[in-house]
Amino acid sequence: MEVKPVGNIIASMVCDPAIVPLDSSTVCTVHLGLRSANTVTLNLKEVDFGGKKVWPDGPSSVRVNRQTVTLTPTNMQEDLTIIITINDELANYYFEKKPLGWGSYSDRLVGYSYLIKAVFSGGVASSDIVEIRDRSPSLGEKVETLTKGGSIAQYVLEKVAKHAGQLETVASGSLGKATVVVSKFFGVLGWLLTARDVINWLRAPTPSDGDNNNVIGG
């Protein structure tokens, strides 16, 4: 949560929950207040997620309850609510790409913290940080989440499970990329990977943290 006075305005934001599973939402409440009695009208100009503008021009998974807040001597505090759903639509918009065929790269958002920022007229801005997690805590559930989402070679993993009982699927890395470990039929993976699956795997995006502070966009 950032509390930043700008002139006569104090603005702060709190996002709840701060740890957001895939396909879930976080509700970011912006608290706006006057430092002294006055009348000020603030217009919400944009909402940023991880350094990318996602409102008003963006996915429908980002919603606000209103765009204008008026503070007066008799009404010196008001809230504005932003709801962000971490889903396929948001990921496709954020990365400006999606896998060939079906699905999305929403799982590539997992494992990072993102700055959510609301920018108002008059130079007023406020922000908070959320972390995106896989909705499944266990390794097996992580793989199941990936295959259900179709984001990384769903067809390949299903074929492996069907035709090669000696194969084990695991998730590795902070992004939970699906990997197939071959215990007996070492050549099966190469046979099953189609050109599309290889392309999807290689072109899978990664959020960019330009200043290495572990917060994307902040």
Side-chain angles (χ1 to χ4, degrees), residues 7 19 23 35 38 41 51 64 71 76 86 112 121 130 136 142-143 145-146 151 156 168 173 186 190 198 201 213:
I19 298 177
D23 296 320
R35 302 176 73 183
N38 204 338
T41 297
V64 301
L71 303 173
M76 297 180 67
I86 311 301
Y112 292 91
S121 56
V130 299
S136 305
K142 280 188 176 182
V143 173
T145 297
L146 287 172
S151 55
V156 172
E168 177 188 5
F186 195 74
V198 172
W201 196 300
N213 67 347

Side-chain angles (χ1 to χ4, degrees), residues 79-150:
D79 291 345
L80 183 146
T81 300
I82 302 165
I83 301 174
I84 300 179
T85 302
I86 311 301
N87 59 9
D88 291 353
E89 185 187 5
L90 177 67
N92 292 341
Y93 181 83
Y94 183 79
F95 290 122
E96 299 180 356
K97 66 167 65 176
K98 58 183 179 179
L100 301 176
W102 65 76
S104 81
Y105 287 120
S106 60
D107 60 284
R108 304 298 283 184
L109 295 169
V110 171
Y112 292 91
S113 295
Y114 298 83
L115 185 76
I116 297 176
K117 184 177 182 180
V119 180
F120 293 85
S121 56
V124 176
S126 190
S127 61
D128 199 9
I129 296 171
V130 299
E131 180 182 351
I132 298 178
R133 294 275 185 89
D134 194 328
R135 59 176 172 260
S136 305
S138 71
L139 184 59
E141 289 173 328
K142 280 188 176 182
V143 173
E144 183 181 3
T145 297
L146 287 172
T147 57
K148 283 183 177 178

